Amino acid sequence: MDSATKDEMQPSLPPGSSCPGPGWPEQERAERLARGAALKWASGVFYRPEQLARLGQYRSREVQRTCSLEARIKSVVQSYLEGVKTGVWQLAQASEAVQGAREALGQAHGLLQGTAEAMQTLRPLREQVAQHKQLQVLSQLLPRLWAVPATVAHARSLIDARQLLEAYVCLRELEKLQEETWAPLGGLELPVFEGLGPLAEALGQAVEAAAGAAGQLAREDPAQLVAAVRVAEVDAGYTASLELAPRGWRQRCLQALQEGLDRTHFGTPLLPEPGALAGWLEALRVALPAELSIAEALVAPCCPPYYKVVQLWAHTLHSGLRRCLQQLLGGPELGAADAFTLLHWVLHVYLGPEMMGSLELGPEADVSQLEPLLTPENIEQLEATFVAQIQANVTQWLQKALDGEVAEWNREQEPGTDSSGFYHSPMPAIVLQVRGKRPGRWEAPRGKGEEKRTWTLLMTTRCCLQILEENIRVSSLVSKSLQLRVQGMALSELGTFLRSFSDALIRFSRDHARGETMAPRYVPYLLATLNHQSALSSSVSVLQPDGAASGALAPVETALDELQRRICRLVLEALLAELQPLFAALPSRRWLSSPELLDNVCERTAHVCQDFRRVRNPAAQLLLAEAERTVVLQYLRALMQGRLVCRGADERTQAAERLQHDAAQLRELFLGLGLEESVQCAPVLLALRDLLNLRDPVLLGLEVAGLRQKFPDVSEDHVSAILDLRGDVSREQRLAALSSLQAGPQPSPSVGRRALFSLVPAPAPALSSCLPSGPCS
């Protein structure tokens, strides 16, 4: 297709149209797209030569289409121009209307300004009209207004006469008259009504006073209480047209009920003085249930049901009591009796059947759901106070008892004896008291001297164990925790006392041994303290209440056992001091020929042990057994020293006979003192006698083996010392005898067998004691 053909195919613009200038880029782009689309269509249609013949037809058809489009466009433009013309005409009409309205408004504004100026001239007339109306209302109400002061005075007289309902009626009439004058007068307050505010306040105070004395009025004048409550209730439902604050007489009435009740029972001046707590609590125990009964029977019928008077009474009393107790605990520290009384009263009496749990009270009086009277911290504080003060008293009592006992030890007189003839001292009577008696019931002896002085000491010091027992028993009435604390305190103080007592004994013994303070009756007072220890041991079980842990008394029992061993050790040391000089000459040639040495030993032993009969069993038997073993051990110790060697068969026979005679003499001595034969240690001398009396040294092995069976703690050194005493044993025979100790059968175990040879050093003697491993150690 040539360029001429392309030009012919381009559509022609309508007359008067022109190509869009550079100011219309979208139109130019649309035109290019249209031309391109037309060219594409034309190239597709006229691609083949035979179709060129129809070019004229296509041209004429496109010309027709273009003319149709131009006609339609002209029609649309013409219609648009007609609409614009109509709109311009309407706008012109509207502009004319607006101009007319503006002129009319200007004229109206001028008229209004003239009217306002006219109204200013009428203001005095309007004020005159308002005053005329007020005067008209005042003229109508003037008789009633003149009566207002008299009515106010009458209402006050009714209030003073406690005629509250009539006074309230007068107040309502006056307030109604005030409302009738308030609106017509435009809110103007007349001076005649100035007394209504004080009158209403006086009536409210009268209602409060009646509510505060509800309990008394319910008994004496219930009509006055009912009138006060009705006034408060009626006023709560009254709505005044005046813009006045609500009086809230109902709330004031309820508050007055609570404050009056609280003031009656828990006012500050009524707090108990120190030492008067028990009486104050007892008064509350009687007064509070009585107050609730009055509230349920008399006050509640005078009040509406929704007041819940009984519940209000119970809560008020509970809150007041709780606050009062908190103030009491915040003041000076309570005494032990007051602390215990308060704990028992709060935890058991207050909610018990004697008070708030009484069956005579209705269910509304139940305070079990309220917070406790005392917090856990308060209970802990009271328990600590009670235990601390009891502990201080016990410490003082025990110290006085110990001081009195120590003062007795250096006296020249022997300790006193009881009705059974046993030694005793003031301390057992102080620390332990005969059951069924109390210190306050004792009678002073009529004599003087020792009995009078002992009684004075007893009266200045209470009976510790009984008091502790009573405190443990009574504390269980409060709580298990308090009982355990008191029990722990009692055991701790008793253990401290036993340690102090033991230390005092050590000082007493040391001073006596050094000669600083020679005690004329050293052993008798030691025996008196042993009786004291026995009495404590038999009575300490009272400190373990039923249900307590079985091992609670173990430390005290251990301390008592240690004290018993220490006293026994001191007594036996005194016996040793008497016997050691005598055993220094045994064995010897003089010992072989004369019983004088052992006679002196038995005499000294009997002199020391004769006081053992003043000791109660089983301590007396223990002392005798240990004394007998001490004598035997000293005897064995002397034999093991090697101071004597037999020169022949005659001396060996004589030594064997002496051992047999000494064993029999010791046996008779301690049987006479009351020691059972089954626990004596003297038979060991008979076993040694058999070893010395053996005539054929070849058979020594058999005797040594038999000795080992009877006394398993015998050693080779002990056997060698005995063989040295014989003086006829060769080296080979000695070795054969000693080998039998190891080769022979092992000794059979014997329950309760007591050590002897293991406490005797051989062959080099050294000062030793039987006590560390013995029963008395």
Side-chain angles (χ1 to χ4, degrees), residues 197-272:
L199 178 64
E201 182 61 27
L203 182 57
Q205 292 177 358
V207 170
E208 282 186 296
Q216 180 180 358
L217 290 178
R219 293 189 298 268
E220 299 176 357
D221 189 6
Q224 184 177 342
L225 177 60
V226 172
V229 174
R230 289 185 62 186
V231 167
E233 289 298 310
V234 171
D235 188 75
Y238 171 67
T239 303
S241 60
L242 299 179
E243 297 179 359
L244 300 176
R247 287 191 281 256
W249 284 356
R250 176 188 291 172
Q251 289 72 20
R252 291 172 64 179
C253 182
L254 292 173
Q255 185 176 0
L257 287 172
Q258 298 175 351
E259 292 178 352
L261 186 62
D262 185 86
R263 184 171 54 254
T264 300
H265 294 281
F266 309 111
T268 303
L270 298 179
L271 287 177

Coordinates of all heavy atoms in Angstrom, one line a residue, residues 197-272:
G197 N -32.7 24.8 110.0 CA -31.5 24.0 109.9 C -31.1 23.6 111.3 O -30.9 22.4 111.5
P198 N -30.9 24.5 112.3 CA -30.6 24.0 113.6 C -31.6 23.1 114.2 O -31.3 22.2 115.0 CB -30.4 25.4 114.4 CG -30.1 26.4 113.4 CD -30.8 26.0 112.1
L199 N -32.9 23.4 113.9 CA -34.0 22.5 114.4 C -33.8 21.1 113.9 O -33.9 20.1 114.6 CB -35.3 23.1 114.1 CG -36.5 22.2 114.5 CD1 -36.6 22.2 116.0 CD2 -37.8 22.8 114.0
A200 N -33.5 21.0 112.6 CA -33.4 19.6 112.0 C -32.1 19.0 112.6 O -32.1 17.7 112.9 CB -33.2 19.7 110.5
E201 N -31.1 19.7 112.8 CA -29.9 19.1 113.4 C -30.1 18.7 114.9 O -29.6 17.6 115.3 CB -28.7 20.1 113.4 CG -27.4 19.6 113.9 CD -26.9 18.4 113.2 OE1 -27.2 18.3 112.0 OE2 -26.2 17.6 113.8
A202 N -30.9 19.5 115.6 CA -31.2 19.1 117.0 C -32.1 17.8 117.0 O -31.8 16.9 117.8 CB -32.0 20.2 117.7
L203 N -33.0 17.7 116.0 CA -33.8 16.5 116.0 C -32.9 15.3 115.6 O -33.1 14.2 116.1 CB -34.9 16.7 115.0 CG -35.9 15.5 114.8 CD1 -36.5 15.1 116.2 CD2 -37.0 15.8 113.8
G204 N -32.0 15.5 114.6 CA -31.1 14.4 114.3 C -30.2 14.0 115.4 O -30.0 12.7 115.6
Q205 N -29.8 14.9 116.2 CA -29.0 14.5 117.4 C -29.8 13.8 118.4 O -29.3 12.9 119.1 CB -28.4 15.8 118.0 CG -27.3 16.5 117.1 CD -26.8 17.7 117.8 OE1 -27.2 18.2 118.8 NE2 -25.8 18.4 117.1
A206 N -31.1 14.2 118.6 CA -31.9 13.4 119.5 C -32.2 12.0 119.0 O -32.2 11.1 119.8 CB -33.3 14.2 119.6
V207 N -32.3 11.8 117.7 CA -32.5 10.5 117.1 C -31.2 9.7 117.4 O -31.2 8.5 117.8 CB -32.8 10.6 115.6 CG1 -32.7 9.2 115.0 CG2 -34.2 11.2 115.4
E208 N -30.0 10.3 117.2 CA -28.8 9.6 117.4 C -28.6 9.2 118.9 O -28.2 8.1 119.3 CB -27.6 10.5 117.1 CG -27.3 10.6 115.6 CD -26.1 11.3 115.2 OE1 -26.1 12.6 115.5 OE2 -25.1 10.8 114.7
A209 N -29.0 10.2 119.8 CA -28.9 9.9 121.2 C -29.8 8.7 121.6 O -29.4 7.8 122.4 CB -29.3 11.1 122.0
A210 N -31.0 8.7 121.1 CA -31.9 7.6 121.4 C -31.4 6.3 120.8 O -31.5 5.2 121.5 CB -33.3 7.9 120.8
A211 N -30.8 6.3 119.6 CA -30.2 5.1 119.1 C -29.0 4.6 119.9 O -28.8 3.4 120.0 CB -29.9 5.3 117.6
G212 N -28.2 5.6 120.3 CA -27.0 5.3 121.1 C -27.4 4.6 122.4 O -26.6 3.8 123.0
A213 N -28.5 4.9 123.0 CA -29.0 4.3 124.2 C -30.1 3.2 124.0 O -31.0 3.1 124.8 CB -29.5 5.3 125.2
A214 N -29.9 2.5 122.8 CA -31.0 1.6 122.4 C -31.2 0.5 123.5 O -32.3 0.1 123.8 CB -30.6 1.0 121.1
G215 N -30.1 -0.1 124.0 CA -30.3 -1.1 125.0 C -31.0 -0.7 126.2 O -31.9 -1.4 126.7
Q216 N -30.7 0.5 126.7 CA -31.4 1.0 127.9 C -32.8 1.3 127.6 O -33.7 1.1 128.4 CB -30.6 2.2 128.4 CG -31.2 2.8 129.7 CD -30.5 4.0 130.2 OE1 -29.4 4.3 129.6 NE2 -31.0 4.7 131.2
L217 N -33.1 2.0 126.5 CA -34.4 2.4 126.1 C -35.3 1.2 125.8 O -36.5 1.2 126.1 CB -34.4 3.3 124.9 CG -33.8 4.7 125.1 CD1 -33.8 5.5 123.8 CD2 -34.6 5.5 126.1
A218 N -34.7 0.1 125.2 CA -35.5 -1.1 125.0 C -36.0 -1.7 126.3 O -37.1 -2.3 126.3 CB -34.6 -2.1 124.2
R219 N -35.3 -1.5 127.3 CA -35.7 -2.0 128.6 C -36.7 -1.0 129.3 O -37.6 -1.5 130.0 CB -34.5 -2.3 129.5 CG -33.7 -3.5 129.0 CD -32.6 -3.9 130.1 NE -31.7 -2.8 130.4 CZ -30.6 -2.6 129.8 NH1 -30.2 -3.4 128.8 NH2 -29.8 -1.6 130.1
E220 N -36.4 0.3 129.2 CA -37.1 1.2 130.1 C -38.2 2.0 129.3 O -39.3 2.2 129.8 CB -36.1 2.3 130.6 CG -35.0 1.7 131.5 CD -34.0 2.7 131.9 OE1 -34.1 3.9 131.5 OE2 -33.1 2.3 132.7
D221 N -37.9 2.4 128.0 CA -38.9 3.1 127.3 C -38.8 2.8 125.8 O -38.3 3.5 125.0 CB -38.6 4.6 127.5 CG -39.7 5.5 126.9 OD1 -40.8 4.9 126.4 OD2 -39.6 6.7 126.8
P222 N -39.3 1.6 125.4 CA -39.2 1.2 124.0 C -39.9 2.1 123.0 O -39.5 2.2 121.9 CB -39.7 -0.2 124.0 CG -40.6 -0.3 125.2 CD -40.0 0.6 126.2
A223 N -40.9 2.8 123.5 CA -41.7 3.7 122.6 C -40.7 4.8 122.1 O -40.8 5.2 120.9 CB -42.9 4.3 123.3
Q224 N -39.9 5.3 122.9 CA -39.0 6.4 122.5 C -38.0 5.8 121.4 O -37.7 6.5 120.4 CB -38.2 6.9 123.7 CG -37.3 8.1 123.3 CD -36.6 8.6 124.6 OE1 -37.0 8.4 125.7 NE2 -35.5 9.4 124.4
L225 N -37.5 4.6 121.6 CA -36.6 4.0 120.6 C -37.3 3.8 119.3 O -36.8 4.1 118.2 CB -36.1 2.7 121.1 CG -35.2 1.9 120.2 CD1 -33.9 2.7 119.8 CD2 -34.8 0.5 120.8
V226 N -38.6 3.3 119.4 CA -39.4 3.1 118.2 C -39.6 4.4 117.4 O -39.5 4.5 116.2 CB -40.7 2.4 118.5 CG1 -41.6 2.4 117.3 CG2 -40.5 1.0 119.0
A227 N -39.9 5.5 118.2 CA -40.1 6.8 117.6 C -38.8 7.3 116.9 O -38.9 7.8 115.8 CB -40.5 7.8 118.7
A228 N -37.7 7.1 117.5 CA -36.4 7.5 116.9 C -36.2 6.8 115.6 O -35.8 7.4 114.5 CB -35.3 7.3 117.8
V229 N -36.4 5.5 115.6 CA -36.2 4.7 114.4 C -37.2 5.1 113.3 O -36.8 5.2 112.1 CB -36.3 3.2 114.7 CG1 -36.2 2.3 113.5 CG2 -35.2 2.8 115.7
R230 N -38.5 5.3 113.7 CA -39.5 5.7 112.7 C -39.1 7.1 112.1 O -39.3 7.3 110.9 CB -40.8 5.8 113.3 CG -41.4 4.4 113.7 CD -42.8 4.5 114.2 NE -43.7 5.1 113.2 CZ -45.0 5.4 113.5 NH1 -45.5 5.2 114.7 NH2 -45.7 5.9 112.5
V231 N -38.7 8.0 112.9 CA -38.2 9.3 112.3 C -37.1 9.1 111.3 O -37.2 9.7 110.2 CB -37.8 10.2 113.5 CG1 -37.1 11.4 112.9 CG2 -39.0 10.6 114.3
A232 N -36.1 8.3 111.6 CA -35.0 8.1 110.7 C -35.5 7.4 109.4 O -35.1 7.7 108.3 CB -33.9 7.2 111.4
E233 N -36.4 6.4 109.6 CA -36.9 5.7 108.4 C -37.8 6.6 107.5 O -37.7 6.6 106.3 CB -37.7 4.4 108.8 CG -36.8 3.4 109.4 CD -35.8 2.9 108.4 OE1 -36.2 2.5 107.2 OE2 -34.6 2.9 108.7
V234 N -38.7 7.4 108.1 CA -39.6 8.2 107.4 C -38.8 9.3 106.6 O -39.0 9.6 105.5 CB -40.6 8.9 108.3 CG1 -41.4 9.9 107.5 CG2 -41.6 7.8 108.8
D235 N -37.8 9.8 107.3 CA -36.9 10.9 106.7 C -36.1 10.3 105.5 O -35.8 11.0 104.6 CB -36.0 11.5 107.7 CG -35.3 12.7 107.2 OD1 -35.9 13.8 107.0 OD2 -34.1 12.6 106.9
A236 N -35.7 9.0 105.6 CA -35.0 8.4 104.5 C -35.8 8.3 103.3 O -35.3 8.4 102.2 CB -34.5 7.0 105.0
G237 N -37.2 8.2 103.4 CA -38.0 8.1 102.2 C -38.6 9.4 101.8 O -39.4 9.5 100.8
Y238 N -38.2 10.5 102.4 CA -38.8 11.8 102.1 C -37.9 12.5 101.1 O -36.6 12.6 101.3 CB -38.9 12.7 103.4 CG -39.3 14.1 103.1 CD1 -40.5 14.5 102.6 CD2 -38.4 15.1 103.5 CE1 -40.8 15.8 102.4 CE2 -38.7 16.4 103.2 CZ -39.9 16.8 102.7 OH -40.2 18.1 102.5
T239 N -38.4 13.1 100.1 CA -37.7 13.8 99.0 C -38.2 15.2 99.0 O -39.4 15.5 98.6 CB -37.8 13.1 97.7 OG1 -37.4 11.8 97.7 CG2 -37.0 13.9 96.6
A240 N -37.4 16.2 99.3 CA -37.8 17.6 99.3 C -37.6 18.2 98.0 O -36.7 17.8 97.2 CB -37.0 18.4 100.4
S241 N -38.5 19.2 97.6 CA -38.3 19.9 96.3 C -37.2 20.9 96.4 O -36.7 21.3 95.3 CB -39.7 20.6 96.0 OG -40.0 21.5 97.0
L242 N -36.8 21.3 97.6 CA -35.7 22.2 97.7 C -34.4 21.5 97.4 O -34.3 20.3 97.6 CB -35.7 22.8 99.1 CG -36.9 23.6 99.5 CD1 -36.8 24.1 100.9 CD2 -37.2 24.8 98.6
E243 N -33.4 22.2 96.9 CA -32.1 21.6 96.6 C -31.3 21.6 97.9 O -30.4 22.4 98.1 CB -31.4 22.5 95.6 CG -32.2 22.5 94.2 CD -31.5 23.3 93.2 OE1 -30.4 23.9 93.5 OE2 -31.9 23.4 92.1
L244 N -31.7 20.6 98.8 CA -31.0 20.5 100.1 C -30.3 19.1 100.1 O -30.7 18.2 99.5 CB -32.0 20.5 101.2 CG -32.9 21.8 101.3 CD1 -33.9 21.7 102.5 CD2 -31.9 23.0 101.6
A245 N -29.1 19.1 100.8 CA -28.4 17.9 101.0 C -29.2 16.9 101.8 O -29.8 17.3 102.8 CB -27.0 18.2 101.6
P246 N -29.1 15.6 101.5 CA -29.8 14.6 102.3 C -29.3 14.5 103.7 O -28.1 14.6 103.9 CB -29.6 13.3 101.5 CG -28.4 13.5 100.7 CD -28.4 14.9 100.4
R247 N -30.2 14.3 104.7 CA -29.8 14.4 106.1 C -29.1 13.0 106.5 O -28.3 13.0 107.4 CB -30.9 14.7 107.0 CG -31.4 16.1 106.9 CD -32.4 16.5 108.0 NE -33.7 16.1 107.7 CZ -34.7 16.9 107.2 NH1 -34.4 18.2 107.1 NH2 -35.9 16.4 107.0
G248 N -29.5 11.9 105.9 CA -28.9 10.6 106.2 C -29.1 10.2 107.6 O -28.2 9.6 108.3
W249 N -30.3 10.4 108.2 CA -30.6 10.0 109.5 C -30.6 8.5 109.7 O -30.2 8.0 110.8 CB -31.9 10.6 110.0 CG -31.8 12.1 110.3 CD1 -30.7 12.8 110.2 CD2 -32.9 12.9 110.6 NE1 -31.0 14.1 110.5 CE2 -32.4 14.2 110.8 CE3 -34.3 12.8 110.8 CZ2 -33.2 15.3 111.1 CZ3 -35.1 13.8 111.2 CH2 -34.5 15.1 111.3
R250 N -30.9 7.7 108.7 CA -30.8 6.3 108.9 C -29.4 5.8 109.1 O -29.1 5.0 110.0 CB -31.4 5.6 107.6 CG -31.3 4.1 107.7 CD -31.7 3.5 106.4 NE -33.1 3.6 106.1 CZ -33.6 3.3 104.9 NH1 -32.9 2.8 103.9 NH2 -35.0 3.5 104.7
Q251 N -28.5 6.3 108.3 CA -27.1 5.9 108.5 C -26.6 6.4 109.9 O -25.8 5.7 110.6 CB -26.2 6.5 107.4 CG -26.4 5.8 106.1 CD -27.7 6.2 105.4 OE1 -28.3 7.2 105.7 NE2 -28.1 5.3 104.5
R252 N -27.0 7.7 110.2 CA -26.6 8.2 111.6 C -27.2 7.4 112.7 O -26.5 7.1 113.7 CB -27.0 9.6 111.7 CG -26.2 10.6 110.7 CD -26.8 12.0 110.8 NE -26.7 12.6 112.1 CZ -27.1 13.9 112.3 NH1 -27.7 14.6 111.3 NH2 -27.0 14.4 113.5
C253 N -28.4 6.9 112.5 CA -29.0 6.0 113.5 C -28.3 4.7 113.7 O -28.0 4.3 114.8 CB -30.5 5.8 113.1 SG -31.4 4.8 114.4
L254 N -27.9 4.1 112.6 CA -27.2 2.8 112.6 C -25.8 3.0 113.2 O -25.3 2.2 114.1 CB -27.1 2.2 111.2 CG -28.4 1.7 110.6 CD1 -28.1 1.3 109.2 CD2 -28.9 0.5 111.4
Q255 N -25.2 4.1 112.9 CA -23.8 4.4 113.4 C -23.9 4.6 114.9 O -23.1 4.2 115.7 CB -23.2 5.5 112.7 CG -21.8 5.8 113.1 CD -21.1 7.0 112.3 OE1 -21.8 7.5 111.4 NE2 -19.9 7.3 112.6
A256 N -25.0 5.3 115.3 CA -25.2 5.6 116.7 C -25.4 4.3 117.5 O -25.0 4.2 118.7 CB -26.3 6.6 117.0
L257 N -26.2 3.4 116.9 CA -26.4 2.1 117.6 C -25.0 1.4 117.9 O -24.8 0.9 119.0 CB -27.2 1.2 116.7 CG -28.7 1.5 116.6 CD1 -29.4 0.7 115.5 CD2 -29.4 1.3 117.9
Q258 N -24.2 1.4 116.9 CA -22.9 0.8 117.0 C -22.0 1.5 118.0 O -21.3 0.9 118.9 CB -22.2 0.7 115.7 CG -22.9 -0.2 114.7 CD -22.2 -0.2 113.3 OE1 -21.3 0.6 113.0 NE2 -22.7 -1.0 112.4
E259 N -21.9 2.8 117.9 CA -21.0 3.6 118.8 C -21.5 3.6 120.2 O -20.7 3.5 121.1 CB -21.0 5.1 118.3 CG -20.3 5.3 117.0 CD -20.3 6.7 116.5 OE1 -21.0 7.5 117.2 OE2 -19.6 7.0 115.5
G260 N -22.8 3.6 120.5 CA -23.3 3.5 121.8 C -23.0 2.2 122.4 O -22.6 2.1 123.6
L261 N -23.2 1.1 121.7 CA -22.8 -0.2 122.2 C -21.4 -0.4 122.4 O -20.9 -0.9 123.5 CB -23.3 -1.3 121.2 CG -23.2 -2.7 121.6 CD1 -24.1 -3.0 122.8 CD2 -23.6 -3.6 120.4
D262 N -20.5 0.1 121.5 CA -19.1 0.0 121.7 C -18.6 0.8 122.9 O -17.7 0.4 123.7 CB -18.4 0.5 120.4 CG -16.9 0.3 120.5 OD1 -16.4 -0.8 120.2 OD2 -16.2 1.3 120.9
R263 N -19.2 2.0 123.1 CA -18.8 2.9 124.2 C -19.2 2.3 125.5 O -18.5 2.5 126.5 CB -19.4 4.3 124.0 CG -19.0 5.3 125.0 CD -19.6 6.7 124.6 NE -21.0 6.7 124.4 CZ -21.6 6.8 123.2 NH1 -20.8 6.8 122.1 NH2 -22.9 6.8 123.0
T264 N -20.3 1.6 125.5 CA -20.7 1.0 126.8 C -19.8 -0.1 127.3 O -19.5 -0.1 128.5 CB -22.2 0.4 126.6 OG1 -23.0 1.5 126.2 CG2 -22.7 -0.2 127.9
H265 N -19.3 -0.9 126.4 CA -18.5 -2.1 126.8 C -17.0 -1.9 126.6 O -16.3 -2.6 127.3 CB -19.0 -3.3 126.1 CG -20.4 -3.7 126.4 ND1 -20.7 -4.4 127.6 CD2 -21.6 -3.5 125.7 CE1 -22.0 -4.6 127.6 NE2 -22.6 -4.1 126.5
F266 N -16.6 -1.1 125.7 CA -15.2 -1.0 125.4 C -14.7 0.4 125.3 O -13.8 0.7 124.5 CB -14.9 -1.7 124.0 CG -15.5 -3.1 123.9 CD1 -16.6 -3.3 123.1 CD2 -15.0 -4.1 124.7 CE1 -17.2 -4.6 123.0 CE2 -15.6 -5.4 124.6 CZ -16.7 -5.6 123.7
G267 N -15.2 1.3 126.1 CA -14.7 2.6 126.2 C -13.3 2.6 126.8 O -12.9 1.7 127.6
T268 N -12.5 3.6 126.4 CA -11.1 3.7 126.9 C -11.0 3.7 128.5 O -10.2 3.0 129.0 CB -10.5 5.0 126.4 OG1 -10.5 4.9 124.9 CG2 -9.0 5.0 126.8
P269 N -11.9 4.4 129.2 CA -11.8 4.3 130.7 C -12.1 3.0 131.2 O -11.7 2.7 132.4 CB -12.8 5.4 131.1 CG -13.0 6.3 130.0 CD -12.9 5.4 128.8
L270 N -12.7 2.1 130.4 CA -13.1 0.8 130.9 C -12.0 -0.3 130.7 O -12.2 -1.5 131.0 CB -14.4 0.3 130.3 CG -15.6 1.2 130.6 CD1 -16.8 0.7 129.9 CD2 -15.8 1.3 132.1
L271 N -10.9 0.1 130.1 CA -9.8 -0.9 129.8 C -9.3 -1.4 131.2 O -9.2 -0.6 132.1 CB -8.7 -0.3 129.0 CG -9.0 -0.1 127.5 CD1 -7.8 0.6 126.9 CD2 -9.3 -1.4 126.8
P272 N -9.0 -2.7 131.3 CA -8.6 -3.2 132.6 C -7.2 -2.7 133.0 O -6.3 -2.5 132.1 CB -8.6 -4.7 132.3 CG -8.3 -4.9 130.9 CD -9.0 -3.7 130.2

